[in-house]
Amino acid sequence: LSFYKDDTSISLSSTALTSLSSSLRNVRNMPGSPSQPFSFDRIFNPEAKQKDVYREVAELVQSAMDGYRVCILSYGQSGSGKTHTMTGYANQGQSDQQGIIPRSMTDILKQSRAMLTSGWMDVSVSVSVVELYNEELRDLLDGEVAGTSISQTHKKYKINRVNSRVVVSGLTAVPIDTSDLEAGMRHFEALLAQSSAARTTASTGMNEASSRSHLIVMIEIQGKHSDGVTLMQGGLRLCDLAGS
């Protein structure tokens, strides 16, 4: 597998795949085989940093701050780096290794504070974290549920559609302090650590501690403008899917 300097082209040496065109950005089978193109918007080579990946999705996070409903997910086989890409090392002391989830919250908190100086009277941010395992939902921020297995959990969560929005009833929603960036991030990092410790994992041939469930970090952002009319209600869903 060879990567080129433009970060849009790769060359694959195998019996199935040959090359990626820098202009079309797709992979095709070798001549004589049935054509199965795979298109990509961006390819990151092995030297790419966490900040490079986040830069690619940062505008989607901004869209959530603008009041849109946004979802970003990672998908791939066990051991391919999904959890590293989404979470990385969330602690601020290792900021260069932070993944999409903590970087998103950092930008949300920064933008929330900036909005207060541009006509917005109140901006609130809250977080819920759920696990989807064997088609059952588990609230990873519920103190009564944390540390118990799916089979031990008797709480059932219902997915509803309210005003064209998907809502999970009964989930714990933890408010994050938007007035202090460092305090808000410390709180958020603690919530991620709690969620990670409670998440279902198992050993696989590719990964000794593979995530066996889908993890969904749900961030709700609400704002009220000083004009008394304009309201903002954005949502960001950050999904670390189970290894395939």
Side-chain angles (χ1 to χ4, degrees), residues 140-159:
L140 296 182
L141 296 184
D142 185 340
E144 297 180 13
V145 172
T148 63
S149 67
I150 289 286
S151 61
Q152 296 171 319
T153 302
H154 301 292
K155 291 188 177 182
K156 301 295 182 182
Y157 298 94
K158 186 176 181 181
I159 300 176

Side-chain angles (χ1 to χ4, degrees), residues 34-177:
S35 178
Q36 292 181 321
F38 299 87
S39 298
F40 303 88
D41 294 320
R42 177 71 189 275
I43 296 170
F44 295 94
N45 64 32
E47 286 72 40
K49 306 298 184 182
Q50 291 278 57
K51 64 181 180 180
D52 300 325
V53 178
Y54 179 70
R55 190 180 298 118
E56 192 72 13
V57 300
E59 290 186 6
L60 295 175
V61 178
Q62 180 59 52
S63 292
M65 293 298 301
D66 293 337
Y68 292 93
R69 316 296 294 179
V70 178
C71 178
I72 302 172
L73 60 87
S74 61
Y75 173 81
Q77 71 180 47
S78 294
S80 59
K82 297 181 299 299
T83 299
H84 177 72
T85 298
M86 294 304 294
T87 304
Y89 296 98
N91 190 288
Q92 294 182 83
Q94 295 175 301
S95 59
D96 62 323
Q97 291 298 315
Q98 286 184 337
I100 289 174
I101 293 174
R103 288 176 188 270
S104 295
M105 179 56 76
T106 297
D107 276 359
I108 287 171
L109 293 180
K110 287 180 178 178
Q111 184 69 4
S112 297
R113 297 178 66 189
M115 290 172 67
L116 297 177
T117 64
S118 59
W120 293 87
M121 295 191 305
D122 179 54
V123 180
S124 63
V125 176
S126 63
V127 174
S128 300
V129 185
V130 298
E131 175 185 49
L132 177 59
Y133 180 71
N134 284 346
E135 299 187 6
E136 291 189 36
L137 287 173
R138 185 164 171 241
D139 183 351
L140 296 182
L141 296 184
D142 185 340
E144 297 180 13
V145 172
T148 63
S149 67
I150 289 286
S151 61
Q152 296 171 319
T153 302
H154 301 292
K155 291 188 177 182
K156 301 295 182 182
Y157 298 94
K158 186 176 181 181
I159 300 176
N160 303 299
R161 186 172 291 275
V162 179
N163 297 327
S164 300
R165 295 173 52 205
V166 176
V167 177
V168 181
S169 60
L171 277 184
T172 303
V174 180
I176 302 295
D177 183 6

